[in-house]
Amino acid sequence: MRAELYRPDAPESPVAVAAWSDGRAALEVLDASIPELGSLLRATAVVVDDPSLRRPGTSGASMLEPGSSEWFRAALIARAEPLGLKVRFVAEEIVGGWDPAAAYRTFGEEIERLTSP
């Protein structure tokens, strides 16, 4: 799962990109002017009351512990909002092989990725 964090007035320019894979979260900060971005994925529980973020079969507020994709989504949404940021979840790979993460790689990194065995 991949997510882009952006300012509502500039949705085309993400300030950070987050990814969840194999039980691990990663964050790449693209805009160093927001120092709080580095702590968005701190491994602490998140309390959610939004039905779309709760665990299936539960009602009322839920506490999500780190280690699940549900926690990843909830942590990003809950912690980005106080910073005035929105979160957009994007597909990891689009039909045709387009990789959205490629937009955040340098030209040299992309060449290395494409030419490595």
Side-chain angles (χ1 to χ4, degrees), residues 4-99:
E4 298 174 344
L5 291 90
Y6 62 94
R7 292 184 177 96
D9 60 341
E12 69 286 348
S13 302
V15 297
V17 178
W20 176 265
S21 179
D22 298 325
R24 294 205 163 138
L27 180 72
E28 181 180 359
V29 175
L30 304 173
D31 183 344
S33 71
I34 308 172
E36 298 88 355
L37 283 175
S39 65
L40 282 178
L41 293 176
R42 65 188 179 278
T44 56
V46 177
V47 176
V48 294
D49 197 22
D50 181 340
S52 70
L53 297 173
R54 285 196 301 251
R55 290 190 186 274
T58 62
S59 61
S62 294
M63 182 175 290
L64 300 177
E65 295 292 334
S68 69
S69 60
E70 293 90 358
W71 169 84
F72 174 76
R73 284 188 68 221
L76 284 176
I77 293 167
R79 295 172 182 167
E81 187 177 312
L83 300 176
L85 301 175
K86 299 285 186 185
V87 180
R88 171 177 44 236
F89 292 92
V90 296
E92 293 218 20
E93 191 169 317
I94 307 301
V95 174
W98 178 71
D99 178 3

